[in-house]
Amino acid sequence: MGLRPWESPELTSWRRLPMHAVDRGAGAISLDDDHWRFQLLPAPEVPPSEDWRHLKVPGAWTTQDTGDLPQYTNWRMPWPDIPPHSPAANPTGVHERDVDIPADWAGRRVILHVGAATSVLIAEVNGRAVGIGKDSHLASEFDITDAVRIGEANTVRLTVVKWSDASHVEDQDHWWHGGITRPVLLYATDPLYLADVRISAPADGRLRVEVQVRHADGPLPAGWRVSGHLDGVGELAQDEEYAAWCVREDRVSDFLGEARLFATVPGVRRWSAETPELYGLDIRLHRPDGSIADTSRHRVGFRTVEINGRDLLINGERVFIRGVNRHDFHPLTGRTVTPGDMRADLETIKRFGFNAVRTAHYPNDPALLDLADELGLYLVDEADIESHDHAHEIADDPRYLAAFVDRVSRMVLRDKNHACVIVWSLGNESDYGANHDAAAGWLRRYDPSRPLQYEGAAKTEWSGTDIASDILCPMYASLDEITAHAASGEQTKPLILCEYSHAMGNSNGTLADHWAAIENTPGLQGGFIWEFWDHGILQRRTTGRPAGPTATGAHAHGVAADGYRWAYGGDFGDMPNDGAFCADGLVFPDRTPKPAMYEHREIAAPLRLTRSDSGHPPRITNAQHFRGVSWLTAEWRLSVEDGGTRTAPAVLPDLPPGASADLPLPHGLLAELPPAGAAGGGEAWLTLHVTTRHDEPWAPRGTEVCAPQIQVRERPAPAPVSVVVSAHSPDVDAEGLLRHPLLTCPPALSLWRAPTDNDLLGGAADHWRALGLDRLVREPVSVDRTDGRVRVRSAYPTGAGPVEHQQVFTPLNDDGLLIEETAVLPEGLTDVARVGTVFETVAGLNHLQWYGQGPWETYPDRRTGGPVSLHRARVDSLFTPYLRPQESGGRSGVRRFALLSDTGTGLGVRLDAPRQVSVTRYRAADLATASHHDELTPRPRCVVQLDAAHRGLGTASCGPDTLPRYRLGPGTYRWSWVLRPL
């Protein structure tokens, strides 16, 4: 060839076969196992030695203790060489194994299939070069018929070069790995074989199938034909005129034959994410004698995708896109994921209300598309193109033109028959240039049945029309920006954010605000949260290396077990790195859902419950687009602040999509409520717990789908408190500090939280440090004892002036203590983290009961998913173990709580109003100084935060901060609480 394939962007492949959509699973020989001989060379020019070890394939060598470790960068390349160059130190893995070719494959065409390799694959069989392939996320296939020996052992060698010119267009926000990451197999076909199958299945049921046929040894023989059978319908008809035209003797090429089959399906069952109806389709190639030379099995979903003005339509309906971005990831194996892993991912995604996935930022394993067809998920299928570090140069670089077109076209050729794919994407964060237009031109010509999108095309001009994007798909646009554009009169395309609500650490604030605007603003149609996974790799603390693909039992419920930790950028000594920016998912590395998942589940609820006027039953709405409610069942739960919980069955009406109806309550459910002010007469909430009626492909029967809630009685005004004689006044020392037998640290003013990732990267944490909020020092001003009460005035100096703080301690006649607090923040003290009280309890209080939102963590701008009820949990389970320790574990809307020992003794707190409360084993300073959870030592005491007000979370680590209404500024804050022994 004369070219170094790892530094030649013009060379995208050599002898690699065209991409196709023919099913080749039947009869294939899998080469996936740990019998591969392996050695890691320092550079591709270095010849292998005789020093072999064994390696599991598929599997990145960077997760298998080879000495070359994973490296994480967000956008910058791991080395400084400019495109198309790669570094001289270039790890190169040589994979080799022996395989017997069956004797009955004699006379057949033998194909080597390598599912994916990072980043240049060089294939040899029996010492003979058979091909080269690039693109780390699509398969390479090579015809090895002339290189194999039938009926005896053959040596397959796959050399993978880690860095190449292709790395510059695979600069995605992910761990860098090296190796073979998807399955390897051999298959054989007859010399006359199906080269490709292209299916058109619109929602009207008119099926069209185009079939390409080739002959490996020469011209097509006369008399071949193609047939097809659709399950439940029967044999497909053949377009005889088209077939005759395709096999004319005077055609330029007689190695390629084409045929068309068609059928019309009466009463067709349409495919959608809600109703993933599939029909089995068999395509058969017949030899001239009528025998079958080749077959291909497909599952067909009938659906139509189109754009009408500002609306993306599925089967004629404007569908909200409730999406999430997803990388191929596993905490033990890196980019290698099994079909079981992928099914678990998609089942989790479905259970939490998502209906769409963006395959960020490359085509996923074909098994994932099969699963999305089956389970019902819309896909934005994204090409393996991201040149983030050198985007501007590469977008117009003609040396990369072939790579752009090759990557887009091969993705489309492979995935074109999947109903789940509703949009093609040209890639991610690669600026916008001629190379994109070239790829878009090919795609629009080949597949006009789907729209295409590319965020970079519309980055600078949202109203532009002559661009390579049919959808306006900005990333991290603010709520004000998207609503203003929708109201501007200049919007020309559907607006569906390709990335929004960055899920890094304790995040996803204002998600409900975004969806309230999306659902009520014409022109806004949804978006894709970034992202599904936290990319923490399980690391052995003793060695600092990945735990490896065979590790088991090393993680549970988001927390790595003793001796392990979730590693992020820099933990493998990787330089440069981008730290914990890879920990930005909605689930932990072990797929445990983070609290934000429950927020999304409720926002995306298929059933909505609204409170009607007094005397009328609540109103229920079917918020789905295509499905009724017969697949759901429900139960009422009435929760009273002082009176426990009552349940009753709910009878759901027969509601078509979009319809509403009254939902009568069971007789007497509300009538049993005690009157306000009486025992058990506190506020009351009615929750509709909705579950699956039967087993669904993505969830077993009884899986909770949503829990909409309405308030049916307000909280009564607090009764006046009575004061005991002064002889029982609170124990407050001369410094104004409360001494209490249940507290080890007296209540103090708190204005700071351990910075979240959003606080750190968005700048709030620097602002708080500059003001000194992380190191407040109390200065006593006065202590006044009058009528049994103690008034304590204090000052807390800050960089914006002193904060005036007053506490009034009043003993109550039931051994309780009323604490009334006031804090006055000066004008310069803007955007603080919290205003409230912090104290610590005695040891041994291991259980928390609270009436408020829960059971999972909630915050002021992320609280829709936490119904108000009486909740119980162990204190140790309240803390949320985000990969980098930070503020977590808070519960919103808490009215009262009790901290109890194992024997039921402890303390109780009743708040003057619903407040933000957290109870954990860590002080804020403990969390702020730790980089991983294995550096934390839980305290035996409980650290309790009672907040009069708490700042929202936002998503400022990559995107908009919280909205102004969730920020705290200067002014006077008042709150009170009653502390009682139990």
Side-chain angles (χ1 to χ4, degrees), residues 18 47 64 100 107 128 130 273 298 364 396 553 558 660 662 765 788-789 817 869 900 904 907 943 946 960:
Q64 299 191 61
D100 293 331
R128 178 176 172 180
V130 295
H298 302 266
N364 285 183
D396 287 308
S660 299
D662 289 342
R789 292 182 172 89
L817 180 66
S869 186
L900 303 172
L907 63 85
V943 179
L946 312 178

Side-chain angles (χ1 to χ4, degrees), residues 387-397 430-432:
S387 55
H388 208 147
D389 199 2
H390 300 282
H392 183 68
E393 308 96 290
I394 290 177
D396 287 308
D397 189 337
S430 301
D431 208 341
Y432 180 42

